[in-house]
Amino acid sequence: MSINGKTRVCAIIGDPVEHSLSPVMHNAAFQKLGLNLVYVAFKVTKDGLKDAISGARSLGLRGLNVTMPHKNAVIYYLDEVDSTAKTIGAVNTILNNQEKLVGYNTDGKGAMIALQENGISTEEKKMLLLGAGGAAKAIAFQAAQEVEELVIVNRTSEKAEQLAKMLGKNFGNKVNGRKLSDEVLKQELETTDILVNATSVGMHPSVNSSPVPSDLLHSDLCVMDIIYNPLETKLAKDAKAVGAKVVSGLDMLLYQGAVAFEIWTNCPAPVDVMKKAALDKLAEQGDIH
Ligand code: ATR
């Protein structure tokens, strides 16, 4: 690809961003489709966020991905925020649409597409979601519109209960919030079809931790861990060992990126190319700590 006077820029902003897989994923996709776009990573501290957004505006960037620690705060600097991102209170994708900055959140959709693409239907299913932080909230918002029953369990029970209350109000279906404990997991897992880990338990360097005791897992479960560092978490290994179906966190990353790509380009994302680029990068780094 040759960069010229008409090349538009997309970027990820966050702190840290050096190990982000988004640049390789999106650049591979831009190249594959012959789009005159380039994707870079900008380290932006909390204090620098306001200036970064006004810089993106004045430089005419086409789009941004937003990661930690800016997903919530960035909302204040945008012209419009779509209803999903507004309800969740977090933006991970921005489109510069004729100088108007519009915020979206593609995390929930990314997670649901990852399940679908792995042959897991959410219809009439019970989902047990671990965690009530930013990522969990985005997934819960999307899942509550699709599954028959959603149970959110979190170490801090108030967060799970609040989230369940908010979703129950919005979608009126069966959403419950409970405190994370082995006893609650045991009760809930017996009747769960899809288990999603959206806590940080099991993330590098705590690769030998899992949020779920292995003896509670069973072969009728589909398990998605949104952690992709390591690529296969202890939870994913334990789930595989009992014969459960497992979806990798890399797939959620891939599909949230694919949805963002489509927002910026109006073109279907070449997901195979994006996945290969991400896997190659991981292999090159050996790991991504
Ligand atoms: P993210 O934006 O990636 O979702 P976050 O908002 O910090 O990150 O959320 C992290 C999630 O992991 C939370 O649900 C957190 O539980 P609390 O709300 O109780 O803090 C959960 N989490 C982190 N460490 C945990 C641990 N050791 N055991 C159980 N849950 C944990």
Side-chain angles (χ1 to χ4, degrees), residues 68 130-136 154-156 159 180 198-201 226:
M68 293 278 287
L130 312 181
N154 195 47
R155 179 176 61 181
T156 313
K159 279 165 72 180
L180 175 65
T199 74
S200 47
V201 181
I226 74 162

Side-chain angles (χ1 to χ4, degrees), residues 26 29 32-33 254-255 257-263 265-274:
H26 286 289
K32 172 74 182 174
L33 300 193
L254 173 68
Y255 289 106
V259 177
F261 180 92
E262 289 168 15
I263 288 171
T265 66
N266 290 316
C267 297
V271 284
D272 293 349
V273 169
M274 293 169 81

Side-chain angles (χ1 to χ4, degrees), residues 109-236:
K109 269 199 188 131
M112 294 301 119
I113 300 172
L115 290 172
Q116 246 170 50
E117 291 294 319
N118 282 279
I120 299 161
S121 148
T122 48
E123 225 172 284
E124 293 173 22
K125 296 286 169 59
K126 170 174 170 178
M127 180 184 283
L128 180 61
L129 176 66
L130 312 181
K137 213 169 171 183
I139 295 169
F141 183 84
Q142 204 64 37
Q145 299 172 61
E146 298 186 20
V147 299
E148 177 152 319
E149 183 182 353
L150 175 64
V151 179
I152 303 162
V153 296
N154 195 47
R155 179 176 61 181
T156 313
S157 58
E158 295 77 24
K159 279 165 72 180
E161 285 155 16
Q162 264 171 27
L163 181 54
K165 208 168 154 190
M166 184 272 275
L167 294 170
K169 242 189 237 161
N170 271 275
F171 304 114
N173 60 353
K174 225 173 152 189
V175 187
N176 271 308
R178 302 188 71 181
K179 183 163 173 57
L180 175 65
S181 72
D182 287 358
E183 193 45 43
V184 165
L185 288 176
K186 185 172 187 304
Q187 274 173 22
E188 297 292 351
L189 278 168
E190 271 173 20
T191 50
T192 291
D193 303 295
I194 304 170
L195 168 68
V196 177
N197 177 38
T199 74
S200 47
V201 181
M203 194 184 286
H204 180 86
S206 305
V207 296
N208 293 318
S209 311
S210 165
V212 182
S214 58
D215 60 344
L216 299 183
L217 299 168
H218 55 81
S219 60
D220 294 334
L221 279 175
C222 298
V223 179
M224 179 162 78
D225 197 327
I226 74 162
I227 294 169
Y228 59 89
N229 178 18
L231 212 41
E232 192 174 52
T233 58
K234 178 169 189 315
L235 172 62

Side-chain angles (χ1 to χ4, degrees), residues 15-67:
D15 184 15
V17 281
E18 306 88 76
H19 296 296
S20 169
L21 296 174
S22 296
V24 292
M25 262 182 4
H26 286 289
N27 284 318
F30 294 154
Q31 276 177 37
K32 172 74 182 174
L33 300 193
L35 300 170
N36 198 356
L37 287 161
V38 68
Y39 189 111
V40 293
F42 291 127
K43 178 176 166 174
V44 174
T45 61
K46 270 190 178 170
D47 290 346
L49 179 62
K50 189 175 179 205
D51 287 348
I53 296 299
S54 91
R57 227 183 250 287
S58 52
L59 296 171
L61 266 55
R62 174 64 181 163
L64 289 173
N65 277 139
V66 183
T67 188

